[in-house]
Amino acid sequence: MFPLSEGHFAARNRWYIAAWSDEITRTPIERWILDEPVALYRQENGVPVGLDGRCPHHLYPLGKSGTKNDNIVCDYHGLEFQPDGTCIGAPFLEGVPGACNVKSYQLREKWNWIWIWPGDPELADESLIPDHFEIGVTNPAYHAVRGLRLDIAARYQLLNDNLLDLQHLEVLHAGILGNDGIGQADEERGSGEDWILSARKMRDIELPKAFQPFFGQRRVDRTLTMNWHIPGLHVGPDIFTVPEGEPDAGREIMQVIAYHALTPARRNSCHYFVTFARSFAHGDEAVDQAMLKSFRGVLDQDVFAAEEIEKQLQNASTPQKEILFKSDATLVIGRRLLEQIIAAETT
């Protein structure tokens, strides 16, 4: 079934971004992740906590309850849960049955992201989180900003497909990030067990309009890359250099790294975390806001496309098939890698 085979939803024993750091406070919030509600809050020392979001008594949402010291207390009947999920208080019982305990999720806070491991806590492998220096968010050569979170009424794989399809920039994002020649540029591709990379290089083109306010209307060479760290994060360096024929040909003019994190919420919805880092104008808040505005324009176009496709899928009376072109090879390989990871968890 489009876009993933029947029975394939999401990999559980992997890391996903659950929230921006500043979204998690002492007051619990509820966030659906991989079709399960999760209650997120912070202990008094600031350490983030993730618990099963349903009180086992009457399924009242713990993410809409309160805290007592480091614990979360259900607002319905007062059951109290420690950060490890152990229920230590039930006001109307003489003892607390072990059945009242809830799942505690493994969380890691890195840079401005809260990462969550939805699967077996005993299998949580921190080395599977992409190296934050390597991808640029903590590398001082780049200025990374706190970005956006969008709740999308579409299954997450539609947006993964979108990000692996660089040629759509030429059409859907014409006038913002797109430019002529992306679809015709030769694609370099690499892949591994849990990653896939696609890169296209365009020579002597006009700088995309999103960046002209900072560098003027000029000709550039552009190398556009997207590296999907399956299943949770796409890292997309966009490098602009002086084109051949000019005295300083090959000199880097600027680099912008886009970060797109897709976290499944429900079967047909997802959380979309997006931000960027850049090699110029470090600390300039006006540039931050101008670029976020441009990125939001691009995101609105991508989200519109994904949500409209989702409507077609949900409203169809029969399973839908797609026609694939040779140029769709990258996204097809990405889907198959994801399906292999999901299938490996079920065997």
Side-chain angles (χ1 to χ4, degrees), residues 56 81 85-88 93 95-103:
F81 303 89
T86 302
C87 183
I88 61 168
L93 299 176
V96 182
C100 289
N101 297 340
V102 298
K103 177 179 178 177

Side-chain angles (χ1 to χ4, degrees), residues 20-243:
W20 289 101
S21 288
D22 58 14
E23 291 186 279
I24 309 305
T25 66
R26 290 282 294 149
T27 302
I29 65 170
E30 179 182 75
R31 183 145 296 165
W32 282 78
I33 296 175
L34 273 65
D35 228 10
E36 300 287 346
V38 180
L40 297 165
Y41 71 101
R42 289 187 186 273
Q43 299 178 54
E44 291 182 325
N45 63 4
V47 174
V49 177
L51 296 179
D52 183 337
R54 291 169 291 211
C55 178
H57 181 213
H58 280 309
L59 304 185
Y60 188 86
L62 294 180
K64 298 179 181 179
S65 296
T67 54
K68 177 183 177 182
N69 301 320
D70 284 341
N71 303 335
I72 194 167
V73 180
C74 178
D75 275 355
Y76 200 7
H77 293 95
L79 273 70
E80 183 175 348
F81 303 89
Q82 293 180 321
D84 66 357
T86 302
C87 183
I88 61 168
F92 306 108
L93 299 176
E94 292 185 4
V96 182
C100 289
N101 297 340
V102 298
K103 177 179 178 177
S104 176
Y105 289 86
Q106 289 288 318
L107 303 182
R108 297 292 186 274
E109 185 166 15
K110 293 179 176 290
W111 185 57
N112 290 317
W113 289 323
I114 304 291
W115 291 85
I116 187 168
W117 181 274
D120 184 347
E122 298 296 323
L123 299 179
D125 182 354
E126 191 169 339
S127 71
L128 294 177
I129 298 176
D131 185 291
H132 284 38
F133 181 88
E134 184 178 306
I135 66 175
V137 289
T138 60
N139 186 335
Y142 304 99
H143 171 75
V145 303
R146 195 277 200 201
L148 308 170
R149 180 183 64 83
L150 306 175
D151 290 322
I152 311 300
R155 62 198 72 187
Y156 75 108
Q157 188 55 34
L158 293 177
L159 287 155
N160 284 329
D161 283 357
N162 171 274
L163 292 163
L164 293 176
D165 171 24
L166 294 178
Q167 62 186 355
H168 85 276
L169 272 70
E170 184 172 338
V171 180
L172 187 62
H173 304 315
I176 306 179
L177 280 181
N179 56 255
D180 294 339
I182 294 178
Q184 292 73 41
D186 291 336
E187 181 182 20
E188 296 182 12
R189 185 188 307 119
S191 62
E193 184 177 294
D194 57 1
W195 63 273
I196 183 168
L197 180 145
S198 173
R200 294 171 184 262
K201 186 165 186 177
M202 293 134 279
R203 298 187 182 280
D204 196 20
I205 61 170
E206 184 177 279
L207 184 69
K209 291 184 180 179
F211 304 121
Q212 289 182 11
F214 316 114
F215 292 95
Q217 186 174 355
R218 59 163 301 159
R219 309 295 291 183
V220 295
D221 285 349
R222 181 184 193 183
T223 302
L224 180 61
T225 305
M226 187 61 74
N227 188 359
W228 184 21
H229 300 265
I230 302 171
L233 180 66
H234 296 256
V235 180
D238 204 351
I239 304 172
F240 300 89
T241 57
V242 176

Side-chain angles (χ1 to χ4, degrees), residues 252-293:
E252 183 176 303
I253 299 169
M254 68 168 179
Q255 181 174 171
V256 176
I257 308 174
Y259 305 92
H260 306 263
L262 279 305
T263 301
R266 308 298 297 270
R267 294 278 170 168
N268 303 310
S269 64
C270 64
H271 308 292
Y272 191 179
F273 300 87
V274 62
T275 192
F276 63 89
R278 62 177 185 268
S279 62
F280 64 96
H282 288 210
D284 191 325
E285 188 173 345
V287 176
D288 291 349
Q289 295 306 312
M291 292 188 67
L292 281 172
K293 183 177 180 180

